Amino acid sequence: MNIIKPSYTIRTTGLGSCVGVVIYDKKKEIAGLAHIMLPDSSLAKSGQINVAKFADTAIKELVQILVKEGARMQFLKAKLAGGAQMFQFASGGDLMRIGPRNVEAVRKELSDLRIRVVAEDVGGNSGRTIEFNLNNCLLNIRTVTKGTKNI
Amino acid sequence: MSFIEKINPLQLDILKEIGNIGAGNAATALSTILNRKIDMNVPNVRIVSFDEMMEMAGGADHVVASVFLRIEGDASGSMFFILSLPVAEYLIRKMIGDESFLINSVPYTELALSCLQELGNILSGSYLSSLSDFTRLNIYPSVPSLSIDMVGATISYGLLELSQVSDAAIVIDIVLEKDQLFADSINGHFFLLPDPEFFDIIFSALGV
């Protein structure tokens, strides 16, 4: 989890079932990225949790940091990518469909915070590398088999 | 203190020995399939962060062929057999007897994919049966699943169980190699990523 100001880009590589969430305020020129690994911090079994990896904790934390750094809550927008199903298992337990669950959790968290999702590229079964450019607020997505695109 | 930090040097040595025996069996199985001598080097048993693990496999967006399977039975975990694309191509060519096969031609042929899956199956099966003999536990692999994609995307899948309790993994990394067999030096990696309870079960079975 990290934030950027002009004129940088921020990226995360090799997203599979994880979800990359970019939250930004275009006018104030500030953006942040969280790399969500699991949907819910209640899944954590040990005492100390790493807030950066759960949808419910990471997004709140990221928004707090952004607002502290000058972003305005009501103008925040989000773009997300990831949540793929990399492997198909016949005997899939709940953890095996973690990609879709991560996406659901991220969407719910954003909607609770009244942050609009303006673009997304989720699901499927390919890994993604994403890079957000603050200059044009476009999220570049690269996959191995489908090439690159901007959303 | 996370459970991973509680593992002592003796226990780490035992994991290494398990790795050694398993690797020996896997190398023998691969030699038999390819009718060539395959060596393995001394396996690494290391406690690494998730990020370091991605680096070990060539970086999170490095494209590899990986066979993934779940370890089930008395102790559970995830296992990856990771091959660089040139090595995967070489192995498929040998197994299907078609020297013109190219791994970059998407969509991948059914036969090629099933070859790799089967290879992963045999290797991890021979590895797990030695682990099973060693510990007298009932441990068996699930049906393998294959993906040709970014390392980060595939490995993070095997870290899900573990990531609920820890940000580090114990990696039993086995490198299989054969002199002058492969054009590049990256050979096959095995990653064994035990679930959190795995160690308690294994160590108590061994009485350490």
Side-chain angles (χ1 to χ4, degrees):
Chain A
M1 178 160 47
N2 219 332
I3 64 162
I4 51 162
K5 291 180 179 177
S7 53
Y8 295 107
T9 62
I10 189 166
R11 72 198 297 250
T12 187
T13 54
L15 284 171
S17 56
C18 298
V19 177
V21 191
V22 176
I23 302 176
Y24 63 98
D25 181 337
K26 192 172 183 178
K27 274 264 168 57
K28 291 282 179 187
E29 297 189 305
I30 182 168
L33 172 73
H35 184 134
I36 309 293
M37 198 166 181
L38 291 165
D40 193 338
S41 59
S42 66
L43 285 170
K45 287 168 188 157
S46 61
Q48 222 175 10
I49 66 159
N50 176 355
V51 296
K53 74 186 178 194
F54 302 98
D56 61 331
T57 50
I59 292 175
K60 282 194 190 83
E61 173 93 2
L62 181 60
V63 167
Q64 256 174 27
I65 296 171
L66 285 167
V67 168
K68 205 176 119 211
E69 292 291 323
R72 299 154 306 170
M73 195 64 211
Q74 68 275 29
F75 292 105
L76 288 178
K77 286 180 182 156
K79 292 190 176 184
L80 36 130
Q85 183 92 356
M86 298 302 296
F87 296 97
Q88 307 297 332
F89 274 99
S91 64
D94 233 12
L95 267 181
M96 287 300 139
R97 57 174 296 275
I98 198 79
R101 283 175 60 210
N102 277 337
V103 174
E104 284 158 28
V106 165
R107 283 202 193 116
K108 177 178 184 302
E109 200 55 40
L110 289 169
S111 107
D112 287 353
L113 292 166
R114 299 183 183 283
I115 297 171
R116 197 157 66 90
V117 177
V118 289
E120 62 175 32
D121 178 39
V122 297
N125 47 22
S126 326
R128 296 169 172 92
T129 281
I130 63 170
E131 180 161 13
F132 183 78
N133 188 330
L134 196 49
N135 294 323
N136 51 16
C137 290
L138 283 177
L139 184 64
N140 180 268
I141 299 164
R142 187 171 69 80
T143 61
V144 174
T145 48
K146 299 194 190 80
T148 62
K149 63 173 172 179
N150 284 303
I151 61 168
Chain B
M1 192 160 79
S2 99
F3 78 99
I4 278 181
E5 288 149 26
K6 284 186 221 154
I7 291 187
N8 65 42
L10 171 71
Q11 292 172 323
L12 213 53
D13 262 1
I14 287 168
L15 289 180
K16 195 164 177 170
E17 187 52 27
I18 293 174
N20 252 321
I21 296 169
N25 283 5
T28 308
L30 190 59
S31 302
T32 311
I33 298 167
L34 296 175
N35 198 19
R36 275 170 173 70
K37 185 164 169 278
I38 302 287
D39 290 323
M40 47 130 199
N41 71 4
V42 180
N44 270 316
V45 177
R46 291 203 292 161
I47 299 173
V48 294
S49 73
F50 291 178
D51 287 342
E52 284 173 291
M53 240 193 99
M54 307 298 172
E55 290 310 313
M56 284 168 75
D61 60 355
H62 181 63
V63 180
V64 293
S66 40
V67 180
F68 168 49
L69 47 89
R70 288 285 298 162
I71 301 165
E72 290 162 359
D74 294 338
S76 64
S78 296
M79 196 160 183
F80 286 90
F81 177 48
I82 293 179
L83 295 167
S84 69
L85 295 187
V87 174
E89 186 173 270
Y90 173 89
L91 292 175
I92 293 171
R93 283 180 178 180
K94 289 294 164 212
M95 284 181 77
I96 63 178
D98 175 5
E99 290 295 327
S100 65
F101 172 79
L102 291 172
I103 196 142
N104 281 326
S105 53
V106 184
Y108 309 108
T109 62
E110 202 61 32
L111 181 63
L113 296 188
S114 114
C115 256
L116 275 188
Q117 240 163 332
E118 187 50 28
L119 200 61
N121 206 8
I122 294 168
L123 295 184
S124 39
S126 61
Y127 181 92
L128 286 180
S129 58
S130 72
L131 179 60
S132 182
D133 289 346
F134 199 58
T135 55
R136 298 184 181 281
L137 290 168
N138 181 20
I139 302 170
Y140 51 89
S142 75
V143 174
S145 187
L146 177 83
S147 140
I148 296 179
D149 212 311
M150 303 172 189
V151 166
T154 51
I155 291 190
S156 59
Y157 229 66
L159 294 173
L160 289 173
E161 286 283 348
L162 201 57
S163 67
Q164 297 173 42
V165 293
S166 167
D167 295 317
I170 290 192
V171 179
I172 300 178
D173 181 20
I174 299 160
V175 181
L176 295 164
E177 56 192 337
K178 158 80 181 75
D179 293 341
Q180 295 139 18
L181 176 62
F182 305 130
D184 64 359
S185 58
I186 309 162
N187 300 320
H189 286 272
F190 261 115
F191 286 136
L192 174 62
L193 306 172
D195 287 352
E197 305 80 22
F198 186 91
F199 296 111
D200 282 345
I201 296 165
I202 296 283
F203 292 142
S204 69
L206 293 171
V208 289

